[in-house]
Amino acid sequence: MSVEIPGAAELAGARVAVVGLGKSGTACVQALADATEAVVSAWDADERALEGVGDVDERGAAADPAALAEKALAWKPDVVIPAPAVPEVGPLFERAARAGVPVWSEIELAWRLRAFDDGRAAPWLCVTGTNGKTTAVSMTEAILDAGGLKGKAVGNVGNPAVAEVSRTDGGAAGAFAVELSSFQLRTTRTMSPLASICLNIADDHLEWHGSREAYWRAKARVYERVQAACIYPVGDPSVQRMVDEADVVEGARAIGLALGVPSAGQVGLVEDAVVDRAFGPDRFREAIELFSLGDLAQLAPTGADLPVHIVCDAMAAAALGRAAGVAPEDVRAALRAFRPGAHRIELAATVDGVRYVDDSKATNAHAARASLGAQADGTTVWIVGGLAKGGRFEDLVADVSGKLRAVVVIGVDQEPWKSALAGIDVPVTYIDPASPAPMDDAVAAARSHARRGDVVLLAPACASMDQFASYAERGERFAEAARRNDGPH
């Protein structure tokens, strides 16, 4: 057997500037050093980030984004690879475009450096969307594993893609489930997945992209050059347009996901069974059962029904697995055994008959809307707030107001919430942004509003980094505060 990285030859002698040395940037530097003969430089806003970088041609730091862009481009790179945090509307993108220097994502580098085993590279099954990406990708990984394909989740989850797809040892995966953010897709140019899906799309990261249309265009790139299946939610015209306009490999098919009886070419729901009329040999005449809703029962929050968005994520993962040739019985086995990750509609505590539910992973309005939609009317004390990422919340509040008992707002920038919650007919408590323990204060305020049978729901609709290190830390602080007076579950 021969394992090689044919794309490495294209980078021999190329000057590659890696800007931003977080997890993905550091992985890019390492992959370029290990697999290519490129000339590499490393740049970051923080001088300390450069300390862990190995042998590079040049390195430098500048806190000001314009100064950092100027330094990196003065090195005369052939390619710039920015960290996901570097915005499309910032000086690096603008100056690179002016200088005619291509900008690649870590995902673009990963695609070019993927390892081939006896002439075959592991296929990519790609997932993007405003909400549900991590769950769908994790389910896809489980389905690929159950099907004997040695699946691995990478991208915006797990290890950086470039570190995993370029492996030439015995631990290399046989297929990749790739979670892709709009940041990564914006500068991904040559990727050609076996199958892709955009789960949904709603306003998010508008401050990074500069406009709703730019965000949509970035997400739409997930369907470009798809080889076999462009999977999409039936009834979502915005995602449908992405599929309609995609330039795909000849023979690729559009596969719809329907929350009802499927037509030929779709995966859909018949009573409590999800069935496949897209990938079977007799799809025009018969449907193949993939799994039942009962196979997902373990994913329902304690004391609540199975949320619709979990069903949609499972359908997406099943369709991706079927595109890769996984048998129906393996799809069912994987989903039956699947357990959700932390901070995703997770029961943290029950106190005095009130359930405290951690959905800290709901970092945008779309995710928060789905989380609230699973609650009974008038029973939810909602903890919201954080980094709004340019979003507004008037539509979200209007959609979920009937679910609410009260609202508690955390975060440093509370103006978008004050605007959205103005005139709402439930109590609203704003936690002092300067509080040394904002989550403790928020849970205490929520407890004062909640009644037996209610839910205190952390579904912030915002990113966490204004007051917490991550959404995980935010969820942990919530759970700790809730459990201090924990009663019987």
Side-chain angles (χ1 to χ4, degrees), residues 36-350:
T36 79
E37 295 180 9
V39 182
V40 182
S41 64
W43 312 88
D44 199 272
D46 188 343
E47 186 79 40
R48 293 170 295 182
L50 300 170
E51 295 172 1
V53 176
D55 186 18
V56 293
D57 183 72
E58 191 169 335
R59 67 188 73 202
D64 176 66
L68 186 64
E70 184 175 345
K71 282 188 174 187
L73 291 168
W75 182 71
K76 302 295 184 184
D78 298 309
V79 174
V80 172
I81 301 177
V86 178
E88 178 181 356
V89 295
L92 182 64
F93 275 75
E94 187 272 327
R95 295 183 186 193
R98 194 190 313 156
V101 178
V103 178
W104 292 1
S105 65
E106 177 242 324
I107 298 300
E108 176 66 20
L109 180 65
W111 180 258
R112 291 171 182 259
L113 293 185
R114 65 199 190 282
F116 284 67
D117 187 348
D118 278 349
R120 176 191 175 276
W124 287 23
L125 303 162
C126 294
V127 178
T128 194
T130 304
N131 183 37
K133 296 186 294 296
T134 301
T135 299
V137 163
S138 300
M139 288 176 167
T140 303
E141 178 186 49
I143 288 169
L144 294 172
D145 262 352
L149 296 179
K150 200 176 178 182
K152 183 73 175 178
V154 296
N156 206 34
V157 62
N159 286 335
V162 72
E164 291 292 339
V165 306
S166 60
R167 289 179 64 170
T168 56
D169 59 10
F176 292 99
V178 189
E179 178 181 331
L180 296 173
S181 70
S182 57
F183 308 155
Q184 294 162 319
L185 284 164
R186 167 63 179 81
T187 47
T188 296
R189 300 165 179 269
T190 62
M191 179 183 76
S192 182
L194 178 67
S196 289
I197 183 169
C198 180
L199 298 167
N200 44 62
I201 187 164
D203 285 356
D204 199 17
H205 302 300
L206 301 188
E207 85 294 352
W208 195 98
H209 293 281
S211 70
R212 179 179 291 115
E213 179 64 19
Y215 176 59
W216 181 92
R217 286 198 306 269
K219 289 291 192 186
R221 295 171 79 94
V222 79
Y223 291 116
E224 293 298 313
R225 295 168 296 278
V226 161
Q227 299 172 27
C230 294
I231 303 165
Y232 69 97
V234 172
D236 187 326
S238 188
V239 178
Q240 175 73 63
R241 181 162 69 95
M242 294 179 185
V243 175
D244 292 343
E245 296 180 6
D247 186 6
V248 301
V249 173
E250 186 174 354
R253 296 187 294 135
I255 305 297
L257 303 181
L259 285 172
V261 177
S263 303
Q266 296 180 346
V267 173
L269 189 62
V270 178
E271 296 181 350
D272 67 343
V274 171
V275 300
D276 173 5
R277 290 199 64 197
F279 299 102
D282 295 319
R283 58 184 176 272
F284 293 102
R285 293 186 296 275
E286 68 176 13
I288 301 170
E289 183 170 337
L290 299 179
F291 63 93
S292 71
L293 299 186
D295 293 319
L296 306 178
Q298 76 281 7
L299 304 180
T302 303
D305 294 333
L306 181 68
V308 172
H309 66 275
I310 296 294
V311 178
C312 293
D313 293 343
M315 291 175 67
L320 289 166
R322 293 289 285 156
V326 177
E329 59 268 24
D330 294 325
V331 171
R332 183 191 297 271
L335 292 174
R336 184 179 290 164
F338 184 80
R339 295 296 181 272
H343 314 296
R344 295 171 179 84
I345 323 182
E346 182 178 24
L347 182 66
T350 300

Side-chain angles (χ1 to χ4, degrees), residues 422-446:
I424 193 170
D425 193 25
V426 298
V428 180
T429 302
Y430 292 92
I431 303 302
D432 184 352
S435 168
M439 192 58 75
D440 287 354
D441 293 347
V443 170

